[in-house]
Amino acid sequence: MGYGLLKGKKGIISGALDENSIAWKAALKAKEEGAEIILTNAPIAMRMGEINKLAEMCDAKIVAADATDVADLEKLYREAMDTFGGGVDFVLHSIGMSPNIRKGKEYGDLNYDWYMKSIDVSALSFHKFMAVAEKLDAINEWGSVVGLSYIAAQRTFSFYTDMADAKAVLESIGRSYGYRYGKAKNVRVNTISQSPTKTTAGTGIGGFNAFYEYAEKMSPLGNASAEDCANYIISLFSDYTRMVTMQNLFHDGGYSMTGISAEVLDMITPGE
Ligand code: NAI
């Protein structure tokens, strides 16, 4: 049972690939909280067909769009505006992909074409989502845009390779566009820096399982789940966070502020 936090609001949710996706949970929550939504994903990701199930559950239209393609994004916003009879109130960017990670390339041996692809898909697409919306005036006054990040933007995690750079760019775009869109239309822009989460994008990263357990032991509250993340996303779409903008918000059970935990100390020197 929802609280009606998004009653009357309309939005676009990208990145729901399957039921593990953070965006999948966010779409269900948005619906539960009273929003009307449009789902979008890359045409290639639709082949699995899973998104159709979600669309049915959310009573939502699906518009295919490659997030790196400005023309696709224009079509997405135009369709959204036609469907809703006006602009949207929120946009979720939940998109990330690194061919270098997929192919197991080390940071010192990156394929540069793939590196560009990682940055384009995982970071520049966030800029495109907002620049296209601004040009079409597709986001309403006091709207909210959220992107998803990871703490490798600030601190080095060896296995995260070029995605760390992509996330640093993503967070910077969040700040820069947050300023611009705030001035122009009171639209706020934030990134959420999420705990490691068992999704297709997450588990594709080398050493994910070990790292997931490590983060779990380092965080006083444990890892934040995809569902917890969805709840946080909804709060950022709601009117209760109207003055929060240009922030990178850690949603990680306390991981980012913990030096070392008793559990991890005990693993290194058991019984001491
Ligand atoms: P996911 O694999 O379910 O979602 C990633 C989505 O990106 C997929 O739906 C995929 O189709 C979409 N995508 C890839 N290329 C695209 C393109 N060219 N155009 C449009 N969509 C495209 O995984 P997850 O974990 O839900 O990822 C969502 C976001 O959360 C990503 O930005 C990811 O980096 C971020 N994140 C994930 C964490 C994790 O451990 N899973 C931790 C912190 C952040």
Side-chain angles (χ1 to χ4, degrees), residues 19-180:
E19 62 183 13
N20 298 316
S21 299
I22 294 167
W24 186 285
K25 316 268 186 210
L28 289 174
K29 288 275 168 193
K31 170 77 181 163
E32 192 181 317
E33 292 298 336
E36 280 177 67
I37 55 168
I38 284 195
L39 297 168
T40 184
N41 209 328
I44 197 164
M46 309 258 179
R47 278 205 217 135
M48 283 164 55
E50 288 291 294
I51 197 170
N52 296 324
K53 289 186 209 157
L54 180 65
E56 223 169 274
M57 285 190 269
C58 297
D59 199 13
K61 196 173 190 175
I62 306 169
V63 182
D66 177 342
T68 63
D69 185 331
V70 167
D72 274 12
L73 294 178
E74 284 168 355
K75 190 171 145 276
L76 166 64
Y77 281 113
R78 287 213 165 89
E79 284 211 37
M81 289 164 91
D82 278 354
T83 306
F84 296 139
V88 299
D89 303 296
F90 60 84
V91 177
L92 177 64
H93 178 284
S94 187
I95 297 170
M97 198 275 295
S98 160
N100 280 304
I101 288 184
R102 281 195 179 172
K103 302 267 162 68
K105 287 281 197 181
E106 281 187 37
Y107 195 63
D109 185 32
L110 297 177
N111 173 309
Y112 288 110
D113 290 334
W114 296 345
Y115 195 169
M116 301 277 268
K117 185 86 185 157
S118 302
I119 306 257
D120 197 14
V121 171
S122 313
L124 302 191
S125 64
F126 194 40
H127 189 283
K128 291 174 187 175
F129 254 86
M130 289 184 275
V132 170
E134 190 190 356
K135 283 177 191 128
L136 297 177
D137 196 17
I139 303 180
N140 296 331
E141 284 271 343
W142 295 104
S144 174
V145 180
V146 171
L148 285 167
S149 195
Y150 183 57
I151 194 175
Q154 287 80 28
R155 300 207 248 135
T156 295
F157 293 80
S158 55
F159 51 82
Y160 212 61
T161 65
D162 60 354
M163 273 300 272
D165 303 335
K167 291 303 190 194
V169 174
L170 177 92
E171 291 178 14
S172 180
I173 290 170
R175 276 187 297 277
S176 303
Y177 230 113
Y179 178 83
R180 185 179 167 87

